């Protein structure tokens, strides 16, 4: 399953081709990939054709492309979620896809020319949708918008910046988002009374941290995955959040984000960057820190990998007698 760094690579790869591009045609080959599109918004293809994509945004694992205004219609965006196996591939028109093509957008960029944006998805957990943009509750940018927002290249004003698609609004900001509220996150941990890994995977507290990067961050911060979130001291919570950011940034740095790579290559073929993992998937192998064999335990239908020596479970102190 693509996680935040993989999705960011997709966003950054698409950005130069889609920002400012006109959508000239839409082909839907499998309606199941529109399961997050509400017919109440209007027909998916009719809503897209003739509009421009103004930017490429991301929050956690959601991607969206704010659309140019259309007389009186509410502000809208094309929202994309890759699910378990989705890919968004930039292609030269005429080159047929051998994978499981579900949706194709025909786009025309003022400088770069015509492309196909192919949404390929093997397992149909991913989707595309046109969704309404809602103002953010904190007034900050809805997510990360890359160079277009930074350089002010957008030709249609900036109303879309401090907004977020309705179906993304309930998702918390991700830890790489400059508007992520660290104090609110620590307060939520103290309030939640849940295992710390559950909290890291809870998209309403913090988004974009999946199973792999949760395990890696917990290993780096030496926190057991079942440690009660409300028992974690503020300094340890702060250290954990720092490690989450380091792990995500490292994966991003190793992933590369060039336009050429996106264009020629297929994003996420292997699913994950081939970066070095310290705990995840390393059952029985020595902990890189202390040499103790890494342990795997069942966790929410998946696995947790941790070092049993450095990541000790919570032990309540015995009451004084
Ligand atoms: Zn260890």
């Amino acid at each position: 399953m693509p996680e935040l760094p993989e999705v960011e690579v997709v966003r950054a790869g698409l950005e130069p081709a889609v920002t400012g591009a006109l959508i000239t045609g839409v082909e839907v080959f499998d309606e199941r990939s529109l399961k997050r599109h509400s017919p109440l918004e209007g027909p998916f293809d009719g809503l897209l054709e003739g509009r421009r994509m103004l930017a490429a945004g991301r929050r956690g694992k959601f991607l969206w492309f704010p659309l140019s205004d259309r007389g009186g219609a509410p502000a809208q965006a094309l929202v994309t979620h890759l699910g378990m196996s989705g890919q968004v591939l930039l292609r030269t028109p005429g080159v047929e896809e051998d994978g499981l093509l579900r949706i194709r957008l025909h786009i025309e960029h003022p400088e770069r020319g015509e492309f196909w944006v192919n949404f390929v998805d093997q397992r149909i957990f991913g989707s595309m949708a046109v969704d309404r943009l809602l103002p953010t509750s904190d007034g900050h940018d809805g997510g990360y918008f890359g160079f277009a927002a930074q350089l002010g290249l957008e030709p249609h004003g900036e109303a879309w910046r401090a907004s977020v698609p309705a179906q993304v609004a309930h998702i918390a900001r991700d830890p790489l988002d400059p508007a992520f509220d660290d104090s609110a996150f620590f307060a939520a941990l103290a309030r939640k009374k849940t295992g710390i890994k559950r909290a890291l995977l809870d998209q309403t507290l913090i988004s974009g941290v999946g199973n792999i990067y949760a395990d890696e961050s917990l290993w780096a911060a030496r926190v057991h995955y079942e440690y009660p979130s409300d028992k974690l001291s503020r300094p340890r919570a702060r250290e954990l959040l720092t490690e989450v950011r380091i792990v995500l940034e490292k994966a991003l740095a190793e992933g590369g984000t060039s336009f050429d790579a996106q264009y020629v290559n297929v994003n996420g073929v292997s699913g994950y960057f081939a970066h070095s993992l310290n705990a995840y998937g390393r059952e029985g192998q020595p902990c890189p820190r202390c040499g103790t064999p890494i342990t795997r335990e069942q966790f929410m239908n998946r696995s947790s990998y941790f070092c049993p020596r450095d990541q000790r479970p919570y032990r309540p102190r015995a009451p004084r007698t």
Side-chain angles (χ1 to χ4, degrees), residues 219 287-292 294 307-311:
W219 177 86
C287 166
R289 200 163 36 212
C290 71
T292 307
I294 296 289
C307 170
R309 185 162 179 262
D310 322 312
Q311 294 169 265

Side-chain angles (χ1 to χ4, degrees), residues 24 44 58 67 74 85 131 149 156-157 166 191 204-205 225 275 279 290:
T24 57
F44 180 76
R58 181 190 52 75
L67 298 166
S85 57
D131 196 12
H156 289 257
R191 204 171 53 234
T204 66
L205 298 183
Y225 70 96
H275 48 71
C290 71

Side-chain angles (χ1 to χ4, degrees), residues 21-220:
L22 179 70
I23 301 171
T24 57
V26 177
E27 293 174 273
V28 177
F29 302 102
D30 195 324
E31 294 283 336
R32 289 175 297 174
S33 294
L34 295 181
K35 61 177 169 288
R36 289 191 181 86
H37 177 77
S38 165
L40 297 174
E41 289 291 316
F44 180 76
D45 50 356
L47 285 169
L48 290 173
E49 282 164 7
R51 293 170 91 173
R52 286 185 191 276
M53 291 180 274
L54 305 179
R58 181 190 52 75
R59 177 185 289 196
K61 296 193 273 187
F62 277 91
L63 292 170
W64 71 92
F65 310 93
L67 298 166
S68 56
D69 293 340
R70 182 146 65 187
Q76 289 171 322
L78 169 63
V79 183
T80 302
H81 197 283
L82 301 178
M84 303 284 284
S85 57
Q87 297 172 289
V88 186
L89 308 172
L90 211 49
R91 291 288 187 254
T92 302
V95 177
E96 281 305 327
E97 205 64 57
D98 32 348
L100 295 155
L101 180 60
R102 308 299 180 185
I103 297 169
R104 172 180 289 147
L105 308 181
H106 298 248
I107 69 169
E108 201 177 307
H109 189 276
E111 283 127 43
R112 295 180 184 266
E114 293 178 29
F115 295 98
W116 281 350
V117 176
N118 287 344
F119 183 68
V120 171
D121 194 5
Q122 189 184 356
R123 297 180 63 187
I124 324 260
F125 287 105
S127 63
M128 281 187 158
V130 177
D131 196 12
R132 202 163 293 213
L133 286 169
L134 304 176
T136 53
S137 51
D138 56 13
H140 293 295
D141 285 1
Y144 179 63
F145 286 114
F147 75 76
Q150 287 163 15
L151 300 183
L153 295 178
E154 65 278 6
H156 289 257
E158 298 200 325
W160 50 266
R161 286 188 63 157
S163 64
V164 63
Q167 57 187 265
V168 185
H170 68 288
I171 302 289
R173 291 182 179 280
D174 63 66
L176 300 186
D177 187 328
F180 184 87
D181 187 339
D182 291 15
S183 303
F185 176 66
F186 299 141
L189 290 185
R191 204 171 53 234
K192 271 282 174 178
K193 300 190 193 309
T194 183
I196 188 64
K197 184 171 173 182
R198 257 172 220 275
L200 286 179
L201 298 178
D202 183 342
Q203 302 285 303
T204 66
L205 298 183
I206 184 171
S207 67
V209 184
N211 203 39
I212 294 179
Y213 298 121
D215 278 3
E216 290 295 301
S217 309
L218 290 164
W219 177 86

Side-chain angles (χ1 to χ4, degrees), residues 164-307:
V164 63
Q167 57 187 265
V168 185
H170 68 288
I171 302 289
R173 291 182 179 280
D174 63 66
L176 300 186
D177 187 328
F180 184 87
D181 187 339
D182 291 15
S183 303
F185 176 66
F186 299 141
L189 290 185
R191 204 171 53 234
K192 271 282 174 178
K193 300 190 193 309
T194 183
I196 188 64
K197 184 171 173 182
R198 257 172 220 275
L200 286 179
L201 298 178
D202 183 342
Q203 302 285 303
T204 66
L205 298 183
I206 184 171
S207 67
V209 184
N211 203 39
I212 294 179
Y213 298 121
D215 278 3
E216 290 295 301
S217 309
L218 290 164
W219 177 86
R222 305 177 197 224
V223 177
H224 189 272
Y225 70 96
E226 290 281 27
Y227 208 91
S229 66
D230 59 323
K231 297 288 189 273
L232 202 63
S233 69
R234 185 60 60 98
R236 289 195 82 196
R238 200 178 298 280
E239 189 189 343
L240 176 59
L241 182 57
T242 300
E243 294 296 351
V244 167
R245 288 184 169 127
I246 290 171
V247 163
L248 292 176
E249 295 276 12
K250 181 164 161 266
L252 264 179
E254 289 173 9
T257 57
S258 77
F259 174 73
D260 288 343
Q262 175 75 7
Y263 184 65
V264 179
N265 204 351
V266 173
N267 69 66
V269 166
S270 63
Y272 297 101
F273 299 146
H275 48 71
S276 51
L277 297 171
N278 290 309
Y280 186 86
R282 300 192 66 247
E283 183 181 16
Q285 297 176 54
C287 166
R289 200 163 36 212
C290 71
T292 307
I294 296 289
T295 299
R296 179 173 69 94
E297 288 180 1
Q298 289 297 310
F299 175 80
M300 294 170 72
N301 297 321
R302 288 181 281 183
S303 296
S304 275
Y305 295 89
F306 63 100
C307 170

